[in-house]
Amino acid sequence: MTNIDTNIFESLESEVRSYSRGWPAVFESASGSWIRDENGRDYLDFFAGAGSLNYGHNNPVLKSALVDYIVGDGITHGLDMSTVAKRDLLETFQDKILKPRGLDYKVQFPGPTGTNTVEAALKLARKVTGRSSIINFTNAFHGMTLGALSVTGNSMKRAGAGIPLVHATPMPFDNYFDGVTEDFHWFSRVLDDSGSGLNRPAAVIVETVQGEGGVNVARPEWLRALADLCAERDILLIVDDVQMGCGRTGPFFSFEIAGITPDIVCLSKSIGGYGLPMALTLFKRELDVWGPGEHNGTFRGNNPSFVTSKVALDHYWSDDTLHKSTLAKGEKIHQAFTELANQFEGSVSTRGRGLVQGLVFDEPERAGKVCALAFDEGLLAETSGPSDEVVKLLPALTITDEELDHGLAILADATGKVCS
Ligand SMILES: Cc1ncc(COP(=O)(O)O)c(C=O)c1O
């Protein structure tokens, strides 16, 4: 008899798989902040689909709208045709998100992933300005396709490209030099020096909080200075809000805290509401220089995501309840992490904004050990940062205080074991 490996994941699925290694369970169902494996074991989810499930797993309000839509034979695949679901979403996005914030953006539907919206943003910036070079930041993460990868910092991910990644120049993110140098000292100097060798950039792309890069939080004044510098030098400002948008840091857009208006904004992950694939690229009206079909994609019209996206905007963004509760829950995590930082001074520190919070370990491998111990206790948490030295929390914004307390107690216990 042939010896067939019964673990189909190991025998058939590519070695490229990653989360399944850190969380060795086979998951079957999920609800809210909980995910259940096939043996009936429940895990509290502090990762929320890498920020794609801001409203929790199988959110009942969104689920009911989705089920009705499917049962009613609503359009599922719509290319970029005009559909009722798309119209409803655009109207709601305009009324609930853009208008109240005084934003006059056009909306592009690129392919439905984060890297798709970043590619669209970079292409548009180049087309508008006629320049090719882009400025990115140290420890940035923007996605895996070649354009997005060229503005991503992580050397392991960059190596995967297999070709030189060009037309991007990294600048120091906020606090890269621990406050020792003046903000944008190097950037403005090389921009203004015709002998610096820096090609005049089309755009700057920035995350207001670098999630994958290790929960690096840009100060509002740093973001404002960046926006001013871009405006003065006629460089487009792209905010990649794929992970930090849709309320992750409190307000709907993460840049609202700085009072800036980026030229281009990238959204994906939680914009679909239900964890369904969807992305948007937003840009100032005058930047809409695309010709019809110039940036295409078969899956730009995933209408079930339009349905859940619209209902999520209606349900969660008609007032500031979610915004406020996100800040309060973020503060709860911050306090718990500050206690750990005090208890293990010199080994552990903390940083974050809203419901993205990081526990930073001076000995990087400790972060992975904490996540492994947490998994054993029924908690999903992931590491981030250039050396995977940060335990990064991205719970659903709908998580309850009791659930937060439960998960934080597991993390405190694990940190104690690893650091003592
Ligand atoms: C800021 C940011 N941009 C882009 C991406 C890429 O998104 P996707 O994995 O959906 O392509 C991510 C993914 O984590 C991200 O965090």
Side-chain angles (χ1 to χ4, degrees):
M1 217 174 98
T2 338
N3 186 11
I4 299 172
D5 190 341
T6 50
N7 188 341
I8 193 80
F9 303 108
E10 283 177 15
S11 66
L12 193 61
E13 193 182 353
S14 162
E15 295 303 315
V16 79
R17 65 193 189 279
S18 62
Y19 294 117
S20 58
R21 298 173 191 270
W23 300 328
V26 179
F27 298 99
E28 191 165 31
S29 61
S31 176
S33 288
W34 293 90
I35 179 163
R36 179 171 291 179
D37 74 14
E38 62 181 348
N39 299 318
R41 180 162 194 221
D42 288 320
Y43 300 79
L44 182 60
D45 186 357
F46 267 13
F47 195 55
S52 302
L53 293 163
N54 281 6
Y55 314 111
H57 291 270
N58 294 317
N59 181 298
V61 181
L62 312 188
K63 179 165 60 181
S64 127
L66 180 63
V67 168
D68 288 350
Y69 185 74
I70 292 171
V71 170
D73 273 346
I75 303 286
T76 293
H77 183 275
L79 295 168
D80 73 352
M81 295 183 292
S82 298
T83 63
V84 171
K86 192 198 269 189
R87 181 172 59 208
D88 289 349
L89 168 62
L90 283 169
E91 285 173 356
T92 305
F93 193 69
Q94 180 165 262
D95 293 347
K96 295 284 157 68
I97 303 298
L98 296 180
K99 270 195 187 156
R101 291 165 181 79
L103 296 170
D104 186 23
Y105 287 138
K106 292 288 287 288
V107 178
Q108 177 179 357
F109 293 86
T113 68
T115 203
N116 285 138
T117 172
V118 170
E119 292 292 342
L122 298 178
K123 277 169 78 170
L124 185 68
R126 288 175 168 136
K127 186 172 160 69
V128 167
T129 59
R131 300 172 219 143
S132 54
S133 142
I134 306 284
I135 298 294
N136 59 316
F137 288 100
T138 48
N139 287 308
F141 183 85
H142 297 289
M144 288 291 102
T145 50
L146 290 180
L149 202 51
S150 73
V151 288
T152 287
N154 186 295
S155 53
M156 185 269 272
K157 299 276 196 295
R158 288 176 68 86
I163 56 164
L165 294 168
V166 291
H167 306 305
T169 307
M171 288 291 158
F173 191 70
D174 191 12
N175 209 28
Y176 193 65
F177 295 111
D178 298 326
V180 174
T181 58
E182 189 192 323
D183 293 341
F184 305 109
H185 181 75
W186 169 248
F187 188 11
S188 46
R189 181 77 188 269
V190 291
L191 271 178
D192 294 341
D193 178 359
S194 59
S196 71
L198 182 78
N199 291 333
R200 203 164 139 62
V204 168
I205 183 163
V206 67
E207 299 152 273
T208 63
V209 179
Q210 297 181 321
E212 302 302 300
V215 192
N216 305 314
V217 182
R219 289 164 299 145
E221 56 269 34
W222 186 87
L223 291 167
R224 274 193 293 276
L226 177 63
D228 288 347
L229 189 142
C230 287
E232 281 158 17
R233 310 297 205 292
D234 190 28
I235 301 167
L236 296 174
L237 177 62
I238 305 170
V239 169
D240 178 349
D241 237 1
V242 164
Q243 189 165 135
M244 297 305 149
C246 303
R248 173 57 53 192
T249 66
F252 184 83
F253 293 111
S254 71
F255 54 81
E256 287 176 55
I257 191 171
I260 59 171
T261 304
D263 298 293
I264 306 179
V265 181
C266 300
L267 285 178
S268 183
K269 292 197 190 269
S270 279
I271 188 63
Y274 199 67
L276 293 173
M278 180 179 154
L280 298 179
T281 315
L282 315 175
F283 34 83
K284 288 183 177 165
R285 199 161 279 276
E286 64 272 21
L287 300 183
D288 194 6
V289 297
W290 288 122
E294 196 177 357
H295 184 74
N296 236 322
T298 307
F299 285 103
R300 286 170 302 145
N302 185 23
N303 279 244
S305 342
F306 300 164
V307 171
T308 48
S309 178
K310 178 219 159 16
V311 176
L313 297 178
D314 267 336
H315 193 76
Y316 291 105
W317 295 101
S318 293
D319 59 29
D320 61 2
T321 310
L322 185 68
H323 179 163
K324 284 187 177 150
S325 78
T326 297
L327 296 183
K329 287 170 194 169
E331 185 53 32
K332 190 182 195 39
I333 303 180
H334 176 69
Q335 277 172 14
F337 279 4
T338 303
E339 272 174 36
L340 288 175
N342 291 337
Q343 203 178 335
F344 302 104
E345 210 184 326
S347 308
V348 177
S349 57
T350 184
R351 54 188 182 232
R353 174 176 288 150
L355 271 175
V356 49
Q357 295 287 335
L359 194 60
V360 189
F361 289 82
D362 277 26
E363 291 179 32
E365 66 284 356
R366 286 182 165 176
K369 285 185 186 157
V370 165
C371 289
L373 285 174
F375 178 79
D376 292 343
E377 296 304 316
L379 179 77
L380 303 189
E382 242 302 48
T383 59
S384 78
S387 309
D388 287 324
E389 72 279 26
V390 182
V391 175
K392 177 177 80 164
L393 301 198
L394 290 174
L397 310 184
T398 52
I399 195 165
T400 65
D401 281 340
E402 294 68 37
E403 288 165 338
L404 267 184
D405 286 339
H406 176 70
L408 288 171
I410 292 175
L411 284 175
D413 196 45
T415 304
K417 284 190 180 127
V418 167
C419 291
S420 307

